[in-house]
Amino acid sequence: MNSFIVLMNKEFTQMVRDFKIIWLPLVFILLGITQPVMTYYLPTILEALGSGQGITIDPNIAAQQGGEILAGTLGAQFDQLGIIIIAISLMGIIQTDKANGMLAFILTRPVPVRSYVGGKIASNYIFTAFSVAVGYLASYLYVNLLFTNVAIFDMLTALLFYLVWILFIISFTTMISTLINSPGLIALISIAFLIGCRLIVGLSSMIDIINPASMSKHAMEVLITGSVNSNAIVNLVVSLLCAAIAIFITNYWISNKKFSNE
Amino acid sequence: MKLEIRNVKKTFKNKTAVDSFSMELQSGECVGLIGPNGAGKSTLIKMIADIINPDTGEILLNGKRISSIKKEIGYLPQYPNFFNWMTAKETLMFMGKLSGLSKNGLNTAIPNILKKVGLSGEEDSKVGTFSGGMKQRLGIAQTLLHKPSLIIMDEPVSALDPIGRREVLNLIQEIKKETTILLSTHILGDAQEICERFIVIKNGLKIEDTSIIELLQRNSDNKLNIEITEKDQKWIGTIEELPYVKGIEVIGNQLKVEVENLENNKNLLLGHALKHDVDIVKFEVGNDTLEDIFLKLVVEK
């Protein structure tokens, strides 16, 4: 337990030294603001840039609800650029330690593997969740300012659902970072798989049950309709299970020293 | 403290890195594990440090598996990298805490250790700015921090320049008084300087386990190395007939003369040379150097 806290502190210190503590929340704030601001000003921009010929901007078009815009932040911004940024910022989470021998070195000390993996996942999850939440809140403020208000309870429920999906993103990227040695390949596989998961949501209700990306859809639904889908709880449990499996594989791989068998 | 390695074997894909290796190490010893590159030294060291598991066999420290008493070992990797963004003090703090030491204990121990390895004044410098020798010394500081009963070092000096080498060798000389050391190297001079006992490993097999004195004695044969000038080549013919000369090996102006009894015959031969007015450049008792012995062991066997 003690080494878990030491390793977690080390991760946080590293984030501060790398300035990750500044840039990651900043990126998510920018992503969060983009959706409401772009949607709000798009008609004006189109009007100013285009000559107006052939484009009709109907002023009577149903005004978008705040909830829809906030859902758009999750679906269009965080689930695309957001995933790419998280995967890239985490691709070296274990791989760097493997490559420079620090992983083997740390494990020559009386450190249980679960403390090492736990410290990595916990610290990075806390920080990434914080960054996503900050970006989401920024988006929420802009939505309330430019569009209709979103109920605070819906906003928090959606955030909670979304952060379960983030947990899976982090566990999965950590697992790939453990199994594979090339940082580029880690990023590619993680991004392709995670965005793939997100894209197939809604194609089949069977796959949706075991797809952690469904949590993102449930978050959006809460924002748009104001009610929780009946499958959400099942999905939540399955998603947590998927994250647990990824963490377990990571732990198993390191415990059995497969990382050092070149 | 007693380290026992019993019949350890490790195979990577289809290459056997270490093959049925056994040895014992007693408290207070300083043992050099020597062998050419690719002999299996690092693999063996990594198995002792519990970084990789042996395929068969076992490694016991005081009768227990290493994985259950990691606190008792201090390990110095071949290239200690550490985290470049940490300062020397933070690195020791980090490694010390992982070894289960308390923060208060570390606060008093770290300045002492840094002083010992000659890094006082550098506690707040980033490890990324350190030279190879400094990193190695920091690595040694890290192995000493939790007062382990066995210190394992993988090629502690091989990658250093002569200055760094000297610093680290002196440091090891210093710490070997207090603890048991097992180190690997392919530079014999270094091993000769700090270790009393050698284990020679080649292709994963232990081919020699002996002390330096024994090794030198066993390999001393009654030979004299003589260097003469060009004009005295004919003298070689005359000494061939001397009763106590058993054999001559000529390489250019160098002679290797094997005699019956070194003690008695060397002065006779010198006298003979002087009588014939030979221009002697060099005249010495030809013990094999450790390097010759090493080459003989590793190349020929």
Side-chain angles (χ1 to χ4, degrees):
Chain A
M1 197 59 202
N2 185 28
S3 52
F4 168 76
I5 291 172
V6 174
L7 286 161
M8 207 159 91
N9 280 337
K10 178 240 139 199
E11 290 294 314
F12 283 128
T13 318
Q14 189 167 10
M15 287 172 200
V16 174
R17 301 275 167 92
D18 289 348
F19 299 109
K20 195 177 174 183
I21 201 138
I22 298 174
W23 70 257
L24 195 62
L26 212 59
V27 165
F28 274 96
I29 289 173
L30 286 175
L31 281 180
I33 295 173
T34 307
Q35 192 73 12
V37 170
M38 283 300 281
T39 318
Y40 185 78
Y41 286 108
L42 198 60
T44 325
I45 295 169
L46 281 180
E47 215 164 24
L49 289 181
S51 58
Q53 282 175 346
I55 303 175
T56 322
I57 295 161
D58 182 1
N60 301 321
I61 192 170
Q64 293 203 60
Q65 292 293 307
E68 289 168 20
I69 308 294
L70 197 54
T73 296
L74 296 181
Q77 305 295 336
F78 289 7
D79 273 347
Q80 289 170 23
L81 262 181
I83 288 179
I84 294 173
I85 288 161
I86 293 175
I88 288 176
S89 79
L90 290 180
M91 65 189 179
I93 179 170
I94 308 274
Q95 185 270 337
T96 324
D97 282 359
K98 275 194 300 185
N100 66 17
M102 278 314 278
L103 173 53
F105 197 17
I106 286 173
L107 292 182
T108 62
R109 306 286 79 242
V111 176
V113 175
R114 59 175 188 281
S115 293
Y116 174 79
V117 176
K120 285 274 184 193
I121 300 248
S123 54
N124 281 287
Y125 179 62
I126 290 171
F127 177 63
T128 311
F130 166 78
S131 304
V132 168
V134 166
Y136 179 75
L137 287 179
S139 189
Y140 174 72
L141 291 179
Y142 270 80
V143 164
N144 281 357
L145 196 69
L146 302 174
F147 299 90
T148 55
N149 281 2
V150 179
I152 196 153
F153 181 76
D154 289 350
M155 183 276 281
L156 289 176
T157 312
L159 177 63
L160 188 77
F161 283 175
Y162 196 76
L163 290 184
V164 174
W165 165 228
I166 295 288
L167 176 65
F168 177 76
I169 293 178
I170 285 166
S171 316
F172 183 81
T173 313
T174 306
M175 179 183 81
I176 297 296
S177 186
T178 310
L179 302 183
I180 290 172
N181 291 326
S182 143
L185 201 58
I186 293 166
L188 185 74
I189 292 176
S190 304
I191 292 169
F193 180 82
L194 292 167
I195 291 188
C197 277
R198 184 65 188 88
L199 285 179
I200 59 169
V201 168
L203 283 187
S204 136
S205 54
M206 278 300 286
I207 299 174
D208 278 2
I209 297 275
I210 54 160
N211 188 350
S214 305
M215 291 315 293
S216 172
K217 189 193 76 180
H218 290 314
M220 289 170 71
E221 267 182 33
V222 171
L223 291 173
I224 295 168
T225 65
S227 63
V228 176
N229 187 305
S230 56
N231 282 335
I233 299 303
V234 180
N235 269 144
L236 190 132
V237 173
V238 174
S239 300
L240 289 177
L241 209 65
C242 288
I245 290 170
I247 296 170
F248 175 79
I249 292 175
T250 307
N251 193 71
Y252 173 83
W253 197 264
I254 298 176
S255 301
N256 286 278
K257 297 167 189 172
K258 294 195 185 288
F259 62 89
S260 56
N261 279 1
E262 293 105 29
Chain B
M1 206 285 316
K2 185 182 179 193
L3 176 75
E4 295 166 86
I5 301 177
R6 291 196 197 132
N7 261 319
V8 160
K9 188 175 174 180
K10 178 78 192 173
T11 312
F12 293 113
K13 299 239 166 69
N14 41 29
K15 187 183 180 297
T16 305
V18 174
D19 199 359
S20 347
F21 189 97
S22 300
M23 67 173 272
E24 270 187 25
L25 187 60
Q26 302 292 341
S27 195
E29 275 188 301
C30 175
V31 176
L33 194 62
I34 54 185
N37 288 330
K41 299 188 297 291
S42 280
T43 308
L44 186 62
I45 291 259
K46 280 182 181 163
M47 286 194 285
I48 299 172
D50 197 39
I51 291 173
I52 48 181
N53 290 329
D55 295 340
T56 56
E58 54 182 0
I59 299 172
L60 301 172
L61 186 67
N62 299 333
K64 292 188 199 111
R65 300 188 131 249
I66 296 269
S67 48
S68 63
I69 42 170
K70 285 186 181 172
K71 248 188 99 110
E72 289 303 313
I73 60 162
Y75 169 66
L76 178 67
Q78 190 163 0
Y79 308 105
N81 260 314
F82 304 115
F83 295 110
N84 284 338
W85 51 269
M86 278 192 189
T87 66
K89 196 177 163 188
E90 283 169 338
T91 303
L92 293 182
M93 202 57 133
F94 175 64
M95 295 309 282
K97 279 185 189 162
L98 288 184
S99 303
L101 303 176
S102 74
K103 197 177 175 187
N104 290 337
L106 283 166
N107 271 329
T108 53
I110 288 174
N112 291 337
I113 294 257
L114 282 173
K115 197 172 162 206
K116 194 172 196 171
V117 301
L119 286 175
S120 24
E122 300 286 349
E123 44 278 83
D124 294 321
S125 313
K126 294 261 164 69
V127 176
T129 65
F130 278 19
S131 69
M134 288 164 87
K135 274 189 193 169
Q136 212 78 25
R137 281 184 283 155
L138 182 64
I140 292 175
Q142 165 274 133
T143 62
L144 297 173
L145 207 52
H146 51 288
K147 301 193 171 58
S149 48
L150 172 67
I151 293 181
I152 312 162
M153 304 188 198
D154 195 0
E155 305 265 5
V157 292
S158 305
L160 301 179
D161 64 12
I163 303 164
R165 253 189 67 221
R166 183 53 34 220
E167 291 169 351
V168 172
L169 286 177
N170 289 344
L171 185 58
I172 297 175
Q173 288 278 16
E174 197 59 39
I175 60 176
K176 79 176 223 203
K177 292 170 197 158
E178 298 153 29
T179 176
T180 314
I181 297 179
L182 175 69
L183 59 86
S184 75
T185 181
H186 58 255
I187 303 170
L188 273 128
D190 297 342
Q192 186 175 6
E193 208 171 303
I194 40 189
C195 301
E196 294 86 33
R197 186 177 152 200
F198 291 114
I199 290 172
V200 183
I201 176 169
K202 183 196 170 189
N203 293 337
L205 287 164
K206 183 163 92 172
I207 56 175
E208 196 67 71
D209 181 351
T210 179
S211 72
I212 170 142
I213 302 153
E214 210 185 296
L215 201 61
L216 285 174
Q217 268 172 1
R218 194 180 337 145
N219 284 279
S220 73
D221 32 15
N222 297 327
K223 273 186 184 162
L224 289 164
N225 291 339
I226 308 169
E227 194 179 335
I228 54 172
T229 52
E230 199 70 46
K231 70 176 177 62
D232 295 313
Q233 291 286 343
K234 60 180 184 305
W235 176 67
I236 300 167
T238 65
I239 59 169
E240 254 173 354
E241 284 143 30
L242 290 174
Y244 50 82
V245 173
K246 289 171 72 189
I248 303 177
E249 215 180 298
V250 187
I251 314 153
N253 290 334
Q254 308 246 11
L255 308 180
K256 267 194 182 162
V257 183
E258 196 179 345
V259 293
E260 230 156 50
N261 184 321
L262 200 61
E263 285 299 301
N264 302 331
N265 300 148
K266 65 174 192 255
N267 286 1
L268 283 176
L269 190 68
L270 185 58
H272 186 268
L274 291 172
K275 213 163 35 180
H276 285 75
D277 206 18
V278 174
D279 189 359
I280 301 172
V281 178
K282 198 168 90 186
F283 189 96
E284 64 173 13
V285 174
N287 263 337
D288 277 354
T289 61
L290 209 56
E291 198 135 329
D292 295 331
I293 302 169
F294 176 65
L295 284 176
K296 224 188 275 176
L297 280 173
V298 170
V299 179
E300 287 167 16
K301 263 195 190 174

